[in-house]
Amino acid sequence: MNRRKLDGDFDGDSLVIIGDRPQLYEHVRQFDKAEQARGLRSLKPPKSHTPAIEDGRYKFGRASQILAATRNVLETYTGLQRDFLAQSHEARHWFAERAIFGTYEGIHHELRRDIRGLLEQEQVSGQDIQDSLEKARREVELAEHAVACEVADLLVAELEAWAARPDAQVPPEQVPSEAAASGSAAQLAMSPPLRELFPELAETYPAAAEHRERVQLLVDRYPARIDPRPDGYEPHDLVQSANNLLSLGIKVGTDAYKSDTGAQIFLIKSGHLQHLLQQTPGLKSVPYTKSVAATLNQGRFDVDATLEDLKDNPTLAASVMHASIELAAEKGILPKPSGRGLAADDATTITLTREQASERAKMEASRARAEEKDITATARSVAETLKNAGNPVNMPHFDRRLRSELSMIDQLTGMSAPSEAGADQQRCASRLRTR
């Protein structure tokens, strides 16, 4: 049975449903019914093209499209969306609230460049600042998120004060008292959401004594948005906005080989989004990847751990996998759940701080170093055997065979874990090995 689905991959391809699987069909039907009830419009953008003649010159070849297609934008955003959609509502909201800055919201890159040009000059006139001030006032009109509006207002206020006294200098002996006074006022002016989303800006901005220095902090600590702003921004539904952004990233990567889709911009932004997703509190792994076939084939499939990862996962894939595990356990194909996941839920859980994550990382690094000798010896033995058989093996990343403590700390920070030391260590180790 074929059903036409116009969203997802944006191509209108047929989605094949096997008709003799009534339970599978019912899961899909209920999920699709809920999606239809939301009444979301399609994000399918208009057809794009790259002109053969631009600026009066003929463009030879398709080098820009070919280069864009080799940058893995499609693969990167596909993985991002898969991992994002698999998280709980709280985790998705945490990510989305931060992901819109630097993409949908943020300072215009040209204004940012102009202001930095002024800051690099030893002396500037009030008129020079006025030119940037006019652009900054337009930013106030374009900002839609409450924090974006607040930052835009701050930038305008600081530019106005700087333009009024561009050459003003604060005597060294007056800096501490004036900084303390202005810092107190600025701290009161900053809303809690702004301080939460941009802690570095909230920490350094109040301590700045001069308007020029505050302008510097605003352009350094507040990101630039994508221009023109991508489609799909819903200021009152940030989770949907983040999902739309990732869907557009997939579309940009898909069409990169045949059209100039701006893949380079999305590639630059993907690094920030990947780092942000890894910092999301309570981040869960996605159990429905291709690697699950190997674990099933080798008899290493962990029913309890998989069900725990599927908990609070709102996707259709998770619903189907959860029902399939229960059915397979009922038929004796898989072991029945032992209930260990429920016991872990009842136990007290904590969110790892940077210090706690550092301790866990040290434990994992110590364990890895203890096991590394045997593993390295085995790997070298296999490589030598293959070499003697006429199949030389290259191991270009052999010197980086162990993960650094810093990378493990970054991954573990903000992760939810049982408070018991033994269970905590086991859970963290399991997650680190599956990454």
Side-chain angles (χ1 to χ4, degrees), residues 5 20 46-47 65 169 198 201 212 235 265 316-317 326 328:
K5 189 171 180 62
D20 59 348
K47 293 295 183 180
Q65 290 92 321
Q169 298 291 330
F198 298 98
L201 175 61
R212 177 174 183 148
I265 296 176
L316 172 62
E326 290 183 339

Side-chain angles (χ1 to χ4, degrees), residues 10-28:
F10 298 90
D11 291 333
D13 296 337
S14 297
L15 180 66
V16 179
I17 303 294
I18 302 175
D20 59 348
R21 297 291 186 270
Q23 289 177 296
L24 175 61
Y25 174 80
E26 183 61 22
H27 272 288
V28 176

Side-chain angles (χ1 to χ4, degrees), residues 30 339 365 400 435:
Q30 292 180 1
R400 297 196 297 270
R435 291 275 169 195

Side-chain angles (χ1 to χ4, degrees), residues 265-285:
I265 296 176
F266 275 81
L267 178 64
I268 294 172
K269 297 298 182 182
S270 68
H272 166 69
L273 294 174
Q274 286 178 311
H275 179 73
L276 183 62
L277 185 62
Q278 290 300 318
Q279 299 301 311
T280 302
L283 183 70
K284 289 189 175 183
S285 61

Side-chain angles (χ1 to χ4, degrees), residues 168-394:
Q169 298 291 330
V170 179
E173 64 274 9
Q174 296 182 19
V175 168
S177 59
E178 292 192 11
S182 61
S184 176
Q187 185 69 26
L188 292 175
M190 280 189 168
S191 67
L194 193 155
R195 294 197 294 268
E196 180 182 355
L197 293 177
F198 298 98
E200 292 183 356
L201 175 61
E203 180 180 354
T204 56
Y205 182 84
E210 300 180 17
H211 297 295
R212 177 174 183 148
E213 186 179 355
R214 289 182 182 177
V215 171
Q216 178 83 62
L217 289 171
L218 287 170
V219 297
D220 287 346
R221 304 292 188 185
Y222 189 65
R225 67 175 181 274
I226 296 176
D227 186 71
R229 178 184 284 172
D231 193 15
Y233 184 34
E234 304 288 344
H236 302 295
D237 191 345
L238 301 183
V239 173
Q240 186 62 46
S241 297
N243 189 35
N244 292 345
L245 176 69
L246 299 178
S247 294
L248 286 173
I250 295 172
K251 180 61 175 175
V252 165
T254 302
D255 284 356
Y257 75 96
K258 60 184 178 182
S259 176
D260 188 358
T261 58
Q264 178 64 21
I265 296 176
F266 275 81
L267 178 64
I268 294 172
K269 297 298 182 182
S270 68
H272 166 69
L273 294 174
Q274 286 178 311
H275 179 73
L276 183 62
L277 185 62
Q278 290 300 318
Q279 299 301 311
T280 302
L283 183 70
K284 289 189 175 183
S285 61
V286 182
Y288 40 83
T289 59
K290 293 181 180 179
S291 60
V292 73
T295 60
L296 284 168
N297 185 52
Q298 298 166 9
R300 296 186 294 106
F301 186 77
D302 191 330
V303 173
D304 292 293
T306 303
L307 289 176
E308 176 63 22
D309 283 333
L310 290 172
K311 183 180 179 182
D312 296 328
N313 187 321
T315 63
L316 172 62
S319 175
V320 171
M321 187 173 190
H322 192 281
S324 300
I325 290 175
E326 290 183 339
L327 181 61
E330 182 181 335
K331 299 293 185 181
I333 301 173
L334 289 175
K336 292 186 177 181
S338 65
R340 286 185 289 126
L342 296 175
D345 289 340
D346 295 336
T348 302
T349 60
I350 59 174
T351 299
L352 297 180
T353 63
R354 188 78 178 177
E355 292 74 16
Q356 291 168 331
S358 178
E359 290 298 321
R360 298 294 182 268
K362 289 179 181 177
M363 295 167 61
E364 287 301 313
S366 177
R367 179 193 60 78
R369 285 192 293 268
E371 298 176 354
E372 189 262 345
K373 294 181 179 178
D374 292 338
I375 296 174
T376 300
T378 301
R380 284 178 170 163
S381 175
V382 171
E384 186 65 25
T385 301
L386 292 172
K387 180 179 179 181
N388 294 336
N391 300 302
V393 177
N394 295 322

Side-chain angles (χ1 to χ4, degrees), residues 93-157:
H93 187 272
W94 188 95
F95 171 84
E97 194 171 29
R98 289 155 179 79
I100 64 168
F101 290 96
T103 52
Y104 290 121
E105 297 282 10
I107 190 172
H108 194 285
H109 64 278
E110 291 182 357
L111 174 59
R112 194 184 202 185
R113 181 193 61 200
D114 293 345
I115 293 177
R116 281 180 170 168
L118 293 174
L119 293 167
E120 292 173 357
Q121 301 176 27
E122 293 185 4
Q123 292 184 339
V124 294
S125 66
Q127 183 57 45
D128 292 335
I129 300 174
Q130 283 292 337
D131 295 338
S132 294
L133 180 57
E134 290 303 317
K135 295 180 181 179
R137 287 174 178 148
R138 289 196 291 271
E139 292 293 294
V140 176
E141 301 174 359
L142 293 172
E144 297 189 58
H145 190 277
V147 171
C149 294
E150 184 176 353
V151 174
D153 287 334
L154 285 175
L155 181 59
V156 169

